[in-house]
Amino acid sequence: IFDTLLERVKQLQTEEGAKVAVSEGVAFYKGDSIHMPYLKYNQNTKKQEVDDSKEAVPLQDILDRISAVKEVTSQRDTITRFIPSRRLAAEMKGGPVRFLIQLPAGGAGKIDALHNHLRQLTGQSAFVLIGATMSPGNQQRSPLAKQLEKILRP
């Protein structure tokens, strides 16, 4: 995911890539540099829109964060669990794929840095470039497990 994201964000460094991103509302020029806004989901329109409460981030900062995430996640024992809601493939079709990434409980500087980078990338418009969004969440029980719990509880 982060390999593809980094590749697509790097394309914004070209004039043509920047034009496309600006026209799609994924990025904008602030002076001579490209900035990428944070997005939030609007319940009324059922669409992502720019989150004015957060300041847009310069393209180079986004590239640095994604590169740092790639570097740390490539190291052994950095991700303790990765659980997608369905099988991942090179060409994904269909609805959204939710996944859980579990990190070890702090202690190591690299894990704290990874958590910080992921938190800073949450809601970032860069994910639109790969047809994704990233938001924090928590693992929930499956519908079947919830139904069984209702049946078993008096």
Side-chain angles (χ1 to χ4, degrees):
I1 292 170
F2 289 100
D3 290 338
T4 303
L5 181 62
L6 185 61
E7 180 183 309
R8 298 273 171 85
V9 173
K10 280 183 177 179
Q11 290 175 359
L12 275 82
Q13 292 177 312
T14 67
E15 189 175 324
E16 186 175 318
K19 280 183 184 178
V20 171
V22 169
S23 70
E24 292 176 356
V26 176
F28 62 89
Y29 282 99
K30 190 174 186 180
D32 289 339
S33 62
I34 299 173
H35 282 63
M36 302 191 80
Y38 284 94
L39 302 176
K40 64 181 176 182
Y41 185 74
N42 184 326
Q43 290 287 350
N44 298 328
T45 62
K46 305 284 188 220
K47 293 182 179 179
Q48 295 277 346
E49 60 184 34
V50 174
D51 185 353
D52 294 326
S53 67
K54 294 181 179 179
E55 191 172 331
V57 181
L59 177 63
Q60 190 57 51
D61 288 358
I62 298 294
L63 287 168
D64 292 345
R65 290 175 189 169
I66 296 168
S67 295
V69 168
K70 267 189 60 175
E71 182 181 325
V72 174
T73 56
S74 67
Q75 296 173 11
R76 189 167 194 222
D77 299 329
T78 303
I79 295 177
T80 55
R81 267 201 306 182
F82 177 83
I83 305 172
S85 61
R86 61 186 170 103
R87 186 176 294 279
L88 300 177
E91 294 293 323
M92 297 296 294
K93 295 180 181 177
V97 178
R98 296 187 183 278
F99 56 88
L100 168 75
I101 297 176
Q102 185 174 2
L103 305 175
K110 68 178 182 178
I111 301 301
D112 291 338
L114 175 60
H115 182 265
N116 187 41
H117 288 305
L118 290 173
R119 201 169 33 82
Q120 290 173 348
L121 287 169
T122 298
Q124 188 44 249
S125 64
F127 284 94
V128 172
L129 298 171
I130 61 169
T133 59
M134 188 169 96
S135 59
N138 52 15
Q139 187 174 11
Q140 296 187 10
R141 301 174 85 187
S142 70
L144 178 61
K146 290 177 183 178
Q147 187 177 9
L148 282 171
E149 183 180 27
K150 281 183 182 178
I151 292 169
L152 296 174
R153 278 201 174 157

